[in-house]
Amino acid sequence: SPWDKLAHTIVFALLAWAIGVPSGLTRWQQFSIGFFGVVLVGILDEWHQIYLPGREAEWTDFAADIAGGLIGTAILGVRRAICE
């Protein structure tokens, strides 16, 4: 259903934000660790689903994960702009 793509996007946006904020790194390092951390988790999540009965890995889920990562990274940027 289309709602699972929205769920992927929201969860991975929050994940990117949650990875970047507590890292205490500089702006670009926060963006990098937040985004690439989400990409890595998305890859591992889809790879894991290959081996689960009744589940399947989908490129569209991974695309939603990446979109969420981009949104979470943008939120990091807005947060940094407001706090500085």
Side-chain angles (χ1 to χ4, degrees):
S1 72
W3 295 110
D4 79 318
K5 306 306 182 238
L6 179 62
H8 273 264
T9 303
I10 291 169
V11 167
F12 279 77
L14 292 172
L15 182 61
W17 183 83
I19 290 171
V21 169
S23 69
L25 300 172
T26 65
R27 175 181 299 191
W28 291 108
Q29 290 172 334
Q30 278 188 350
F31 295 164
S32 296
I33 197 168
F35 179 72
F36 290 113
V38 164
V39 170
L40 178 62
V41 171
I43 289 169
L44 292 173
D45 180 43
E46 295 305 314
W47 177 65
H48 177 252
Q49 287 184 28
I50 292 171
Y51 301 103
L52 294 176
R55 302 292 303 265
E56 56 187 48
E58 296 181 6
W59 286 105
T60 54
D61 284 347
F62 183 59
D65 299 344
I66 290 174
L70 291 171
I71 292 168
T73 303
I75 292 169
L76 277 174
V78 169
R79 179 190 167 273
R80 291 289 299 231
I82 291 171
C83 293
E84 289 181 355

